Amino acid sequence: MSKKAMTAIAGLSLTAGLLGWAGAPAGAQADTASTATAAMAAPKPPKGARAVVRVSPNPTTRRGEEVTITGHCGGGKGLKAVLAGLDRKHPVLQNIRIVEDSPKGFVAKATLAPKIGNGVGPVLVDCGGEAGVTLLVTHV
């Protein structure tokens, strides 16, 4: 099959999909689009790296600001630990407290370190068999 034919088929398929999608209610369109985008953008992570973690607010803007760490353990046993930063001498977060350790939905609270500057730092979770990581952006 020629490159032009493949391009035409791909274009027709895309057009047909968009036309079919256009007839759906707005809420269904947004939900379908975000689900499809997430599925295409992120393949399923390997075993051992399936926990999902989010930090809010992100980005943070004040030293000492309280942040909330949420997510799920992706098959792990439950939230065991939250680590933030690359070493113990320069932590990104302090006073980390696990509020809810359920594997289906965990919550932890922490405060932004008082000596932190502008930048990006990792926030990692250990869920007893599954781990997850996100980045915390600081604008202080």
Side-chain angles (χ1 to χ4, degrees):
M1 187 178 291
S2 73
K3 188 173 182 177
K4 285 184 181 182
M6 287 174 47
T7 303
I9 290 170
L12 288 172
S13 298
L14 178 61
T15 302
L18 289 174
L19 289 174
W21 182 56
Q29 289 176 6
D31 197 33
T32 303
S34 64
T35 303
T37 302
M40 288 186 293
K44 188 173 182 179
K47 182 149 181 58
R50 294 186 181 163
V52 173
V53 60
R54 291 172 295 283
V55 178
S56 179
N58 194 1
T60 59
T61 57
R62 289 185 342 261
R63 292 178 178 101
E65 180 175 16
E66 184 172 78
V67 296
T68 303
I69 301 111
T70 59
H72 65 80
C73 288
K77 295 176 175 78
L79 185 62
K80 306 295 182 206
V82 176
L83 306 168
L86 298 175
D87 61 45
R88 292 179 190 253
K89 291 181 184 178
H90 305 98
V92 174
L93 298 175
Q94 294 181 328
N95 305 319
I96 299 170
R97 318 168 292 291
I98 296 174
V99 177
E100 174 64 45
D101 63 358
S102 171
K104 294 186 184 219
F106 60 77
V107 177
K109 300 274 187 176
T111 54
L112 193 60
K115 293 184 179 182
I116 200 74
N118 292 328
V120 177
V123 176
L124 303 102
V125 296
D126 173 6
C127 279
E130 299 291 340
V133 65
T134 193
L135 295 174
L136 174 61
V137 179
T138 58
H139 293 292
V140 292

